[in-house]
Amino acid sequence: AQRVTQPEKLLSVFKGAPVELKCNYSYSGSPELFWYVQYSRQRLQLLLRHISRESIKGFTADLNKGETSFHLKKPFAQEEDSAMYYCALSGGSGTYKYIFGTGTRLKVLA
Amino acid sequence: EAGVAQSPRYKIIEKRQSVAFWCNPISGHATLYWYQQILGQGPKLLIQFQNNGVVDDSQLPKDRFSAERLKGVDSTLKIQPAKLEDSAVYLCASSDAGASYNSPLHFGNGTRLTVT
Protein backbone atom coordinates (compact mmCIF):
# COMPACT_ATOMS: atom_id res chain seq x y z
CA ALA A 1 0.00 0.00 0.00
CA GLN A 2 1.14 3.53 -0.69
CA ARG A 3 1.92 5.39 2.48
CA VAL A 4 3.86 8.41 3.69
CA THR A 5 4.93 8.48 7.33
CA GLN A 6 6.05 11.53 9.27
CA PRO A 7 6.81 10.26 12.78
CA GLU A 8 7.00 13.60 14.54
CA LYS A 9 3.91 15.74 15.04
CA LEU A 10 5.92 18.55 16.59
CA LEU A 11 9.56 19.50 16.38
CA SER A 12 10.93 22.39 18.41
CA VAL A 13 14.42 23.73 17.85
CA PHE A 14 16.27 26.88 18.79
CA LYS A 15 17.17 29.49 16.22
CA GLY A 16 20.47 28.62 14.58
CA ALA A 17 20.20 24.92 15.39
CA PRO A 18 20.07 22.26 12.65
CA VAL A 19 16.71 20.89 11.61
CA GLU A 20 15.75 17.48 10.27
CA LEU A 21 12.15 16.61 9.49
CA LYS A 22 11.72 12.90 8.90
CA CYS A 23 9.74 11.30 6.10
CA ASN A 24 9.50 7.64 5.19
CA TYR A 25 7.45 6.21 2.40
CA SER A 26 6.06 2.93 1.17
CA TYR A 27 5.46 2.54 -2.55
CA SER A 28 5.87 -0.26 -5.06
CA GLY A 29 7.56 1.55 -7.88
CA SER A 30 9.53 4.73 -8.38
CA PRO A 31 7.64 7.59 -6.80
CA GLU A 32 8.35 11.26 -6.95
CA LEU A 33 8.79 12.88 -3.54
CA PHE A 34 7.94 16.39 -2.46
CA TRP A 35 7.89 18.62 0.57
CA TYR A 36 5.03 21.07 0.98
CA VAL A 37 4.85 23.83 3.58
CA GLN A 38 2.01 25.79 5.13
CA TYR A 39 2.91 29.01 6.91
CA SER A 40 0.43 30.56 9.32
CA ARG A 41 -2.66 31.86 7.50
CA GLN A 42 -1.28 30.89 4.10
CA ARG A 43 -2.19 28.16 1.68
CA LEU A 44 -0.31 24.93 1.30
CA GLN A 45 2.54 25.38 -1.17
CA LEU A 46 5.40 23.45 -2.68
CA LEU A 47 8.74 23.78 -0.90
CA LEU A 48 10.88 21.44 -2.95
CA ARG A 49 10.87 18.24 -4.99
CA HIS A 50 13.54 15.58 -5.12
CA ILE A 51 13.88 15.57 -8.91
CA SER A 52 15.05 19.19 -8.86
CA ARG A 53 17.86 18.55 -6.39
CA GLU A 54 17.62 22.18 -5.37
CA SER A 55 17.90 24.08 -2.12
CA ILE A 56 14.94 26.28 -1.27
CA LYS A 57 15.17 28.72 1.65
CA GLY A 58 18.20 26.75 2.82
CA PHE A 59 16.31 23.45 2.92
CA THR A 60 17.47 20.32 1.13
CA ALA A 61 16.12 16.79 0.94
CA ASP A 62 17.80 13.65 -0.30
CA LEU A 63 15.91 10.66 -1.56
CA ASN A 64 17.29 7.45 -0.05
CA LYS A 65 15.69 4.59 -1.93
CA GLY A 66 17.37 1.96 0.24
CA GLU A 67 15.84 3.38 3.40
CA THR A 68 12.75 4.70 1.56
CA SER A 69 13.27 8.06 3.20
CA PHE A 70 13.13 11.70 2.10
CA HIS A 71 14.17 13.70 5.14
CA LEU A 72 14.12 17.50 5.02
CA LYS A 73 17.17 19.27 6.41
CA LYS A 74 18.39 22.76 7.13
CA PRO A 75 21.71 23.51 8.83
CA PHE A 76 20.60 26.65 10.68
CA ALA A 77 16.94 27.16 11.54
CA GLN A 78 15.37 30.61 11.39
CA GLU A 79 12.24 31.84 13.15
CA GLU A 80 10.47 32.31 9.83
CA ASP A 81 10.82 28.57 9.18
CA SER A 82 8.11 27.91 11.77
CA ALA A 83 5.29 26.21 9.84
CA MET A 84 3.59 22.90 9.07
CA TYR A 85 5.59 20.67 6.77
CA TYR A 86 4.08 17.86 4.75
CA CYS A 87 5.92 15.16 2.88
CA ALA A 88 4.12 13.94 -0.23
CA LEU A 89 4.47 11.16 -2.75
CA SER A 90 3.31 11.16 -6.35
CA GLY A 91 2.94 8.05 -8.41
CA GLY A 92 0.57 5.62 -10.00
CA SER A 93 1.06 4.83 -13.66
CA GLY A 94 0.74 8.33 -14.93
CA THR A 95 -2.23 9.32 -12.78
CA TYR A 96 -0.06 11.63 -10.68
CA LYS A 97 -1.90 10.57 -7.53
CA TYR A 98 -0.59 12.53 -4.58
CA ILE A 99 -0.46 11.11 -1.06
CA PHE A 100 0.43 13.25 1.92
CA GLY A 101 1.88 12.47 5.30
CA THR A 102 0.28 13.69 8.52
CA GLY A 103 2.64 16.63 8.77
CA THR A 104 5.19 17.94 11.26
CA ARG A 105 4.83 21.28 12.96
CA LEU A 106 8.20 22.99 13.20
CA LYS A 107 8.63 25.61 15.90
CA VAL A 108 11.81 27.63 15.86
CA LEU A 109 12.40 29.25 19.22
CA ALA A 110 14.25 32.53 19.64
CA GLU B 1 -1.04 33.83 -12.72
CA ALA B 2 -4.22 33.77 -10.68
CA GLY B 3 -4.26 31.07 -8.03
CA VAL B 4 -6.78 28.34 -7.29
CA ALA B 5 -10.01 29.92 -6.10
CA GLN B 6 -12.34 28.25 -3.62
CA SER B 7 -15.61 29.32 -2.06
CA PRO B 8 -16.99 29.66 0.48
CA ARG B 9 -14.14 30.10 2.98
CA TYR B 10 -16.24 28.96 5.91
CA LYS B 11 -19.48 27.03 6.26
CA ILE B 12 -21.41 25.93 9.33
CA ILE B 13 -24.29 23.50 8.89
CA GLU B 14 -26.29 21.09 11.00
CA LYS B 15 -25.93 17.36 10.56
CA ARG B 16 -28.12 15.87 7.84
CA GLN B 17 -28.06 19.13 5.89
CA SER B 18 -26.40 19.40 2.50
CA VAL B 19 -23.50 21.62 1.44
CA ALA B 20 -21.58 22.39 -1.74
CA PHE B 21 -18.09 23.70 -2.33
CA TRP B 22 -16.79 25.32 -5.49
CA CYS B 23 -13.32 25.36 -7.00
CA ASN B 24 -11.85 27.22 -9.96
CA PRO B 25 -8.40 25.87 -10.83
CA ILE B 26 -5.52 27.69 -12.45
CA SER B 27 -6.25 28.29 -16.10
CA GLY B 28 -4.98 25.48 -18.29
CA HIS B 29 -4.47 22.99 -15.46
CA ALA B 30 -5.88 19.67 -16.58
CA THR B 31 -5.72 17.87 -13.25
CA LEU B 32 -7.90 18.83 -10.30
CA TYR B 33 -7.93 17.30 -6.84
CA TRP B 34 -10.23 17.51 -3.84
CA TYR B 35 -8.68 16.74 -0.47
CA GLN B 36 -10.22 16.47 2.98
CA GLN B 37 -8.06 17.62 5.87
CA ILE B 38 -9.31 16.76 9.33
CA LEU B 39 -7.73 18.68 12.21
CA GLY B 40 -4.33 17.22 13.08
CA GLN B 41 -4.12 15.06 9.98
CA GLY B 42 -2.60 15.38 6.54
CA PRO B 43 -4.68 16.01 3.41
CA LYS B 44 -6.58 12.91 2.31
CA LEU B 45 -7.39 12.58 -1.39
CA LEU B 46 -11.12 12.35 -2.07
CA ILE B 47 -11.24 12.57 -5.84
CA GLN B 48 -8.97 13.36 -8.76
CA PHE B 49 -10.08 14.62 -12.17
CA GLN B 50 -8.11 14.66 -15.40
CA ASN B 51 -9.94 17.20 -17.54
CA ASN B 52 -13.58 16.28 -16.86
CA GLY B 53 -13.00 12.59 -16.26
CA VAL B 54 -12.56 10.92 -12.87
CA VAL B 55 -9.12 9.34 -12.43
CA ASP B 56 -9.44 8.22 -8.81
CA ASP B 57 -12.37 8.36 -6.40
CA SER B 58 -11.51 5.32 -4.34
CA GLN B 59 -11.64 7.23 -1.04
CA LEU B 60 -14.75 9.25 -1.77
CA PRO B 61 -17.70 8.18 0.45
CA LYS B 62 -20.03 7.86 -2.47
CA ASP B 63 -23.14 7.35 -0.38
CA ARG B 64 -22.96 10.99 0.68
CA PHE B 65 -20.25 12.76 -1.33
CA SER B 66 -20.39 13.64 -5.00
CA ALA B 67 -18.21 15.74 -7.25
CA GLU B 68 -18.27 16.93 -10.80
CA ARG B 69 -16.07 18.92 -13.09
CA LEU B 70 -18.06 20.43 -15.90
CA LYS B 71 -16.25 21.21 -19.14
CA GLY B 72 -12.95 20.28 -17.52
CA VAL B 73 -12.66 23.58 -15.65
CA ASP B 74 -14.60 24.43 -12.46
CA SER B 75 -15.52 21.73 -9.99
CA THR B 76 -18.06 21.31 -7.23
CA LEU B 77 -17.97 18.94 -4.28
CA LYS B 78 -21.24 18.15 -2.51
CA ILE B 79 -22.06 16.45 0.75
CA GLN B 80 -25.60 15.22 1.32
CA PRO B 81 -26.41 14.51 4.11
CA ALA B 82 -23.57 15.79 6.25
CA LYS B 83 -22.33 13.98 9.34
CA LEU B 84 -20.43 15.33 12.32
CA GLU B 85 -17.27 13.56 11.16
CA ASP B 86 -17.33 15.56 7.91
CA SER B 87 -16.08 18.60 9.83
CA ALA B 88 -12.79 19.40 8.12
CA VAL B 89 -11.06 21.72 5.71
CA TYR B 90 -11.78 20.83 2.09
CA LEU B 91 -8.87 21.68 -0.17
CA CYS B 92 -8.92 21.99 -3.90
CA ALA B 93 -5.68 21.72 -5.86
CA SER B 94 -4.75 21.74 -9.50
CA SER B 95 -1.68 20.82 -11.51
CA ASP B 96 -0.45 20.96 -15.06
CA ALA B 97 0.30 17.26 -14.85
CA GLY B 98 0.31 16.87 -18.59
CA ALA B 99 3.45 18.95 -18.80
CA SER B 100 5.53 17.03 -16.31
CA TYR B 101 5.29 14.03 -14.04
CA ASN B 102 6.70 16.23 -11.32
CA SER B 103 4.27 19.09 -11.72
CA PRO B 104 3.54 20.48 -8.27
CA LEU B 105 0.10 20.93 -6.83
CA HIS B 106 -1.28 24.44 -6.46
CA PHE B 107 -3.71 24.70 -3.57
CA GLY B 108 -6.62 26.98 -2.85
CA ASN B 109 -7.24 28.48 0.58
CA GLY B 110 -9.71 25.75 1.42
CA THR B 111 -13.23 25.70 2.83
CA ARG B 112 -13.55 25.10 6.55
CA LEU B 113 -16.71 23.07 7.20
CA THR B 114 -18.19 22.72 10.66
CA VAL B 115 -21.05 20.28 11.12
CA THR B 116 -23.00 20.72 14.36
Side-chain angles (χ1 to χ4, degrees):
Chain A
Q2 301 170 11
R3 187 168 58 247
V4 176
T5 302
Q6 294 181 251
E8 303 140 329
K9 278 192 174 294
L10 173 65
L11 182 65
S12 296
V13 301
F14 285 102
K15 178 182 173 181
V19 173
E20 183 178 51
L21 301 172
K22 291 183 167 54
C23 172
N24 288 89
Y25 66 91
S26 172
Y27 184 77
S28 56
S30 296
E32 306 299 336
L33 275 297
F34 306 80
W35 277 98
Y36 284 79
V37 61
Q38 187 167 28
Y39 301 103
S40 180
R41 294 187 177 84
Q42 295 186 26
R43 61 184 66 190
L44 198 54
Q45 59 187 289
L46 177 71
L47 178 63
L48 57 78
R49 44 189 156 176
H50 94 267
I51 195 72
S52 300
R53 295 186 174 275
E54 56 196 347
S55 173
I56 303 293
K57 298 185 179 182
F59 284 98
T60 58
D62 291 321
L63 179 62
N64 186 323
K65 292 185 178 180
E67 296 182 358
T68 59
S69 68
F70 188 57
H71 303 327
L72 183 67
K73 300 177 183 179
K74 184 169 183 176
F76 308 104
Q78 299 174 341
E79 289 182 76
E80 53 265 33
D81 296 329
S82 295
M84 278 295 295
Y85 290 81
Y86 294 94
C87 183
L89 172 157
S90 171
S93 302
T95 62
Y96 316 126
K97 180 177 178 178
Y98 269 78
I99 298 169
F100 285 81
T102 52
T104 298
R105 178 170 297 283
L106 174 65
K107 283 190 177 180
V108 181
L109 308 171
Chain B
E1 63 181 8
V4 176
Q6 286 189 250
S7 66
R9 287 297 306 274
Y10 306 93
K11 190 73 178 178
I12 300 174
I13 61 172
E14 295 182 352
K15 59 183 178 183
R16 291 188 289 274
Q17 286 187 322
S18 62
V19 64
F21 313 126
W22 173 82
C23 173
N24 180 241
I26 292 174
S27 178
H29 278 194
T31 309
L32 185 147
Y33 306 78
W34 282 103
Y35 284 89
Q36 179 193 58
Q37 187 171 23
I38 294 173
L39 187 64
Q41 300 182 19
K44 171 189 165 187
L45 179 66
L46 292 176
I47 189 167
Q48 177 183 345
F49 291 94
Q50 182 78 14
N51 296 307
N52 61 348
V54 175
V55 174
D56 188 317
D57 63 356
S58 57
Q59 297 194 88
L60 186 74
K62 298 180 186 63
D63 58 334
R64 299 185 300 108
F65 286 65
S66 65
E68 61 181 4
R69 188 181 185 196
L70 299 175
K71 299 181 181 178
V73 182
D74 293 6
S75 178
T76 55
L77 177 70
K78 297 178 182 178
I79 308 175
Q80 182 179 12
K83 293 185 176 181
L84 295 177
E85 58 261 37
D86 297 332
S87 294
V89 175
Y90 290 84
L91 295 169
C92 178
S94 69
S95 80
D96 186 12
S100 170
Y101 189 53
N102 289 292
S103 296
L105 298 190
H106 298 263
F107 283 89
N109 281 315
T111 296
R112 182 177 298 278
L113 173 67
T114 302
V115 182
T116 63

